[in-house]
Amino acid sequence: MSKIMKPIRQTGIIGYGAYIPKYRLPASEISNLWRDGQDENFLPIKQKSVPGPDEDTITMSIEAAQNALKRAGTDPQEIRAVWVGSESHPYAVKPSGTVVSQILGIVPDTVSGDFEFACKAGTEAMQAATAFVGSGMGDYALAIGMDTAQGKPGDALEYTAAAGGAAFIMGPAEEAVAVLEGSYSYVTDTPDFFRRAHQKYPEHGNRFTGDLAYFHHIYNAVTTLMEELNLKPSDFAQAVFHQPNVKFPRKKAKDLNFTDLQIKEGLLVDFIGNTYAGASVLGFTAALDKAEPGDRLLLASFGSGAGSDAFSFIVTDRIKKVRSKAPDTQYYVRREEKIDYARYARWRKKIVMH
Amino acid sequence: MDIPRYWRLRNQRYRLEGTECTECGEKSFPPRCVCAKCKSDSLQPFRFSGKGTIYSFSTIYQALDTFDKDIPYSIALVKLEEGPLITTQLADISPDEIKIKLPVEMVIRKIYEDGEHGPIQYGYKFRPVLNK
């Protein structure tokens, strides 16, 4: 049995767009408040992005999708599917996708819904959008990975839980900036991280987080993808892994025999934090921003629960024509205004009054 | 309960849709039934570009209950490229950065949440043009 997933109709990314809110909370702010600065030499990242008080997964999805539309040049009315992957949908019941579709002018001839698979909800939406276009059900589909991640005050996750993400318009290969060579998904039931219904903050299954979850699933997804496509790490110009902190993707790259240079463009976590469903896809937009025609790019997400989606894309000549039509991802990384913990606590509703 | 009102006005709030007079070309926001310039009732929907400049502004420190948790926030009269002057909240800018004639662009933001159980209302705000 062939494990590789490849649609009957050749499919690729027609347009891509990033969005990161402008506010940043330095990790030292969290360290000073909760640990008296004692862990200042071991901080997982330098700072994380924080959404403004009027931003959420829906508003940020719209910004990223608008950038994707600018690059795609597609009439929004031709998009036949809108899927938003996130673990911070503003509503428990009412799709983020319908608001996004209405505002972008995609309604009413579309399917729309929300995906949830922790940090890989965005790539899950990409898989579905690829299948939708690849089967001929529609010519264009919009897949978004976006989050305003929640971290419990004082918890280790608070250092990194950040906001941002990316949008991709999948379409026929002839119009693509990057054509899908193949993808593979690896999923098991693993209790590494979860948030129960009606709970505000997630919990982590401690020892399950590293080896049994992140490293195991990405390793299997990427090695199977490479075996099935008969590829080796040196065939890829850049590789982007899910990035919950700086250490994990670096270690994963080393385990899989990718060099530091191969993960350089997409490794954003030190400057913006872990944007959960947005993390790997946002890194992938940064890699696309620097890619040359003919480059092969690897994208490997990880979602707790747990699973990993691995994709191999070949960049086309069209990338040079469309890249400058929207702000590049590094622009959003550099656009920053630092805030203190007090403002962060107020904006993120950490202070609860009964 | 603002659900019917927001639903009715969603293209206005989400997409900055106003009207254009087919007789004299006058553009209006919010949409009108009769042209304010030539009094024609022949109007068609018109989507504004969302680009403009700040005409005047103020910062709110004493707000309605709905916006009480947002203070201080700034509002402005924005002169749209196509002519109309509209009232809007500003986003991603602190009060000391706001200047008359500052170029701004429309973004979609949360306007307010109707308590813990009600709908979340989205609509246009304006922010400084991204300097990419």
Side-chain angles (χ1 to χ4, degrees):
Chain A
M1 178 190 91
S2 170
K3 291 182 177 176
I4 203 76
M5 295 193 288
K6 194 170 181 179
I8 297 162
R9 176 197 199 186
Q10 260 211 316
T11 303
I13 296 167
I14 309 298
Y16 66 95
Y19 182 74
I20 306 164
K22 72 181 275 198
Y23 303 101
R24 300 285 181 275
L25 179 69
S28 57
E29 283 280 320
I30 299 168
S31 169
N32 287 337
L33 184 70
W34 293 108
R35 310 272 161 94
D36 200 23
Q38 288 194 346
D39 57 349
E40 64 183 359
N41 293 327
F42 315 104
L43 299 175
I45 56 170
K46 290 190 180 77
Q47 59 185 21
K48 68 171 185 175
S49 57
V50 177
D54 54 3
E55 292 186 289
D56 64 16
T57 290
I58 287 178
T59 67
M60 300 196 307
S61 292
I62 291 160
E63 297 240 15
Q66 283 170 332
N67 286 335
L69 277 167
K70 283 177 194 161
R71 288 195 173 106
T74 311
D75 177 354
Q77 285 281 298
E78 290 189 54
I79 294 173
R80 303 301 304 278
V82 177
W83 288 313
V84 183
S86 179
E87 61 177 74
S88 49
H89 292 290
Y91 286 96
V93 178
K94 186 181 186 303
S96 301
T98 56
V99 186
V100 172
S101 306
Q102 183 83 37
I103 289 172
L104 296 176
I106 295 169
V107 293
D109 304 319
T110 186
V111 296
S112 183
D114 295 346
F115 280 82
E116 188 282 313
F117 194 146
C119 294
K120 91 168 183 78
T123 53
E124 191 80 28
M126 285 176 75
Q127 291 282 38
T130 301
F132 189 85
V133 174
S135 69
M137 285 181 73
D139 283 338
Y140 304 100
L142 172 60
I144 300 170
M146 189 66 66
D147 253 313
T148 55
Q150 314 91 342
K152 196 189 291 178
D155 187 87
L157 293 174
E158 194 184 28
Y159 287 98
T160 52
F168 298 89
I169 296 169
M170 309 304 291
E174 310 84 76
E175 300 170 40
V177 298
V179 176
L180 180 73
E181 196 175 18
S183 68
Y184 173 70
S185 293
Y186 182 89
V187 167
T188 72
D189 175 16
T190 305
D192 60 314
F193 173 92
F194 38 82
R195 178 163 65 86
R196 294 278 300 278
H198 313 300
Q199 296 304 302
K200 193 170 178 183
Y201 300 111
E203 302 289 334
H204 36 127
N206 295 317
R207 69 194 177 92
F208 281 93
T209 297
D211 289 341
L212 294 171
Y214 180 90
F215 293 108
H216 174 77
H217 290 80
I218 293 184
Y219 181 84
N220 280 285
V222 173
T223 51
T224 306
L225 180 85
M226 288 196 296
E227 278 168 21
E228 294 278 324
L229 293 175
N230 202 20
L231 296 171
K232 53 189 183 305
S234 58
D235 292 326
F236 292 92
Q238 285 289 307
V240 180
F241 300 104
H242 176 55
Q243 35 203 282
N245 50 47
V246 180
K247 189 171 81 176
F248 275 30
R250 281 200 178 137
K251 183 172 185 307
K252 186 75 272 167
K254 200 173 172 187
D255 291 347
L256 288 164
N257 292 319
F258 287 90
T259 65
D260 284 349
L261 208 57
Q262 281 175 292
I263 61 167
K264 178 173 163 265
E265 303 298 351
L267 193 57
L268 310 175
V269 62
D270 210 14
F271 311 102
I272 60 165
N274 176 8
T275 55
Y276 284 49
S280 59
V281 289
L282 196 49
F284 192 64
T285 62
L288 281 169
D289 282 340
K290 299 285 183 188
E292 292 294 325
D295 280 357
R296 180 179 279 112
L297 304 179
L298 173 73
L299 165 62
S301 64
F302 170 72
S304 292
S308 174
D309 299 317
F311 303 79
S312 176
F313 286 98
I314 308 274
V315 177
T316 73
D317 291 339
R318 191 167 169 267
I319 193 115
K320 293 205 161 180
K321 291 185 193 144
V322 308
R323 195 146 48 194
S324 61
K325 292 187 176 176
D328 63 25
T329 304
Q330 281 296 339
Y331 166 77
Y332 286 109
V333 173
R334 289 193 304 270
R335 184 185 75 129
E336 64 166 56
E337 179 181 328
K338 291 202 168 47
I339 59 171
D340 59 13
Y341 196 93
R343 182 169 294 198
Y344 163 75
R346 182 184 167 188
W347 284 359
R348 299 298 291 143
K349 298 181 179 166
K350 306 276 179 191
I351 303 165
V352 179
M353 288 170 276
H354 292 288
Chain B
M1 183 63 78
D2 269 350
I3 290 177
R5 185 161 63 98
Y6 265 81
W7 181 81
R8 207 167 49 244
L9 301 178
R10 64 191 168 170
N11 283 341
Q12 198 185 117
R13 302 267 167 100
Y14 286 178
R15 294 170 58 76
L16 214 60
E17 262 187 32
T19 46
E20 178 180 28
C21 176
T22 60
E23 300 289 329
C24 73
E26 178 78 356
K27 296 174 180 66
S28 304
F29 189 91
R32 301 183 68 101
C33 299
V34 174
C35 176
K37 192 173 170 189
C38 74
K39 311 302 178 206
S40 165
D41 61 359
S42 176
L43 302 170
Q44 61 187 13
F46 177 83
R47 192 176 173 203
F48 287 86
S49 65
K51 304 280 184 194
T53 51
I54 289 180
Y55 177 83
S56 186
F57 64 92
S58 183
T59 297
I60 308 294
Y61 293 92
Q62 296 288 330
L64 296 170
D65 287 350
T66 310
F67 301 107
D68 192 41
K69 298 286 187 296
D70 300 337
I71 57 163
Y73 64 92
S74 297
I75 58 167
L77 288 168
V78 167
K79 180 82 173 162
L80 296 176
E81 267 182 2
E82 296 88 348
L85 200 57
I86 69 168
T87 307
T88 178
Q89 279 192 39
L90 297 176
D92 288 352
I93 190 165
S94 60
D96 58 342
E97 294 171 315
I98 307 171
K99 291 181 176 62
I100 304 290
K101 292 190 177 172
L102 181 76
V104 288
E105 62 187 2
M106 174 196 159
V107 287
I108 292 293
R109 293 294 169 93
K110 256 189 310 192
I111 304 299
Y112 72 94
E113 296 176 17
D114 190 0
E116 292 276 307
H117 304 286
I120 304 167
Q121 304 295 6
Y122 297 91
Y124 62 79
K125 292 187 182 182
F126 280 71
R127 71 163 170 220
V129 172
L130 291 185
N131 184 24
K132 51 184 175 171

